[in-house]
Amino acid sequence: MQLRKVTAASAAVLALALSATACGSSDKDDSGSSGGGKIKVGIKFDQPGLGLQEPDGSFSGFDVDVATYVAGQLGYKPNQIEFVQTKSADRENALARGDVKFIAATYSITDERKAKVDFAGPYLLAHQDLLVKKDSTIAKGADLNGKKLCSVTGSTSAQNIQQTIAPKANLKEVGTYSECIAGLQSGAVDAVTTDDSILAGFAAQDKYKGQFKLAGLKLSNENYGIGVKKGDSATLDKINKALEKMVSDGSWDKAVTKNFGPADYKNEPAPKIGVIVK
C-alpha cells in the first residue's frame, strides 16, 4: 500500500517535470516577450535602401537596420526576428490584430494615424523631393511645368505637385516606384517624386549608382516613427530608449551612411524623440 503511494507521487513529479521541459523548449512565437521565442516586426519588402527582401530571402535597408537594433534592445537576437510584410494600407490593422509587435516601414507620424496607433520616435525626418538625372536642369518645383513627372497611382506627393507647385506638369501614374525609376533611366519621364529617403534608396542600387541626383527641395516634412499597438506604453517606452541609444552609440549614423550614402543623400540630423517637425 505504501509502495503504491510513493509510486503515484513519483509519477506526479515526473509528469510535472516533463511538462515544464516541454514548455521551456517550445519555439512558439510569443511576439513580445524578450529572451525567448520570436518577435514579429512589420517592414516594407519592396523599398531599396529602407525595407527590401533580397533574392536570397534576407532583408536590407535603413528601416531593417533600425528594427533589428530595436529588437536587439528588447532582448531578441537577429535569428529571433521574423519580418512581416506590412503594406501601407494595412499597417494600423496589423498592429490592432497583433500580427506584429511593432512596425518600421516609412511610417509617417500623422494626427490621423495617432488616433489608431502609438508612435515611438521619430527616428528619421524625410522630405518630399524629386529624383532627376545627374545632368538635369530641374532645380525647383516650378521647373516641372511642361515636364513629365512620375509617381505611383494615388500618391499624395503627386497631388502636392499638381495642386500647389507645378500645375502644368505632365503626371504619369504607375503601379510601383520601380517603374518610375526605370522610366527616369530610359528618359520616358523627367523626374520622380516621393519621400527623399525612398528616392535615395532606389538611386543607391548598384544598377543606378551615379545616374541620378536628388533635387533637395524639401517639399514636405515626413517624420518616420515606429508604430506600436494603441495603449502598449511599455513597448513604446522601451523602443524610445532603444532609439536614443542607437543615436548616442553611433549606430544610427552608420545605418544612414550604409543605406543612403551612395545616392549622396543629405539627411537631416537624428530627430529628438517626441519632437515632430511640421
Side-chain angles (χ1 to χ4, degrees):
M1 191 70 174
Q2 182 66 25
L3 179 60
R4 279 198 293 270
K5 287 183 179 180
V6 172
T7 303
S10 299
V13 170
L14 179 60
L16 287 171
L18 289 172
S19 176
T21 301
C23 291
S25 64
S26 173
D27 61 358
K28 182 181 179 181
D29 173 20
D30 61 9
S31 297
S33 300
S34 61
K38 295 182 179 180
I39 185 171
K40 291 183 179 179
V41 179
I43 61 169
K44 293 289 184 67
F45 277 25
D46 59 354
Q47 290 184 342
L50 287 154
L52 182 69
Q53 185 174 35
E54 301 287 357
D56 64 0
S58 63
F59 298 93
S60 66
F62 182 71
D63 283 347
V64 173
D65 289 344
V66 170
T68 301
Y69 186 97
V70 167
Q73 293 300 303
L74 296 180
Y76 295 92
K77 297 177 182 179
N79 63 3
Q80 291 178 292
I81 303 170
E82 180 180 343
F83 288 117
V84 178
Q85 183 175 25
T86 49
K87 296 182 179 180
S88 296
D90 195 46
R91 287 178 296 204
E92 288 82 21
N93 291 332
L95 287 169
R97 292 191 303 260
D99 295 347
V100 294
K101 189 65 176 178
F102 66 84
I103 293 176
T106 59
Y107 206 176
S108 295
I109 301 171
T110 66
D111 290 338
E112 181 181 4
R113 289 171 179 165
K114 284 167 67 176
K116 301 176 182 177
V117 303
D118 287 333
F119 283 100
Y123 65 90
L124 184 72
L125 176 60
H127 307 281
Q128 183 186 344
D129 202 357
L130 303 175
L131 190 69
V132 296
K133 282 193 171 181
K134 275 286 188 181
D135 59 356
S136 174
T137 58
I138 296 174
K140 57 184 184 297
D143 292 341
L144 288 171
N145 284 312
K147 302 290 186 180
K148 290 171 286 188
L149 174 68
C150 189
S151 194
V152 298
T153 302
S155 165
T156 55
S157 298
Q159 294 170 14
N160 186 31
I161 295 287
Q162 280 196 316
Q163 294 173 6
T164 64
I165 298 171
K168 294 183 180 178
N170 298 315
L171 178 62
K172 178 180 181 180
E173 294 182 290
V174 296
T176 67
Y177 286 114
S178 295
E179 295 175 67
C180 281
I181 303 299
L184 182 62
Q185 184 184 41
S186 69
V189 298
D190 300 301
V192 181
T193 188
T194 186
D195 295 356
D196 54 5
S197 58
I198 296 174
L199 296 172
F202 276 104
Q205 288 184 289
D206 287 338
K207 59 183 176 182
Y208 296 131
K209 281 182 182 177
Q211 298 183 42
F212 308 133
K213 65 181 179 181
L214 289 162
L217 301 187
K218 298 184 179 181
L219 302 173
S220 70
N221 294 321
E222 306 296 335
N223 299 270
Y224 289 175
I226 292 181
V228 301
K229 188 173 183 178
K230 193 72 176 173
D232 188 358
S233 58
T235 300
L236 190 72
D237 291 343
K238 290 177 183 178
I239 293 177
N240 277 330
K241 289 177 182 177
L243 292 174
E244 289 176 342
K245 184 176 180 181
M246 187 176 187
V247 172
S248 66
D249 69 13
S251 298
W252 188 90
D253 285 320
K254 290 179 181 178
V256 169
T257 300
K258 168 189 168 186
N259 294 292
F260 302 130
D264 194 26
Y265 176 56
K266 296 176 176 60
N267 63 283
E268 298 280 3
K272 295 185 180 299
I273 300 300
V275 178
I276 306 300
V277 179
K278 297 294 185 180

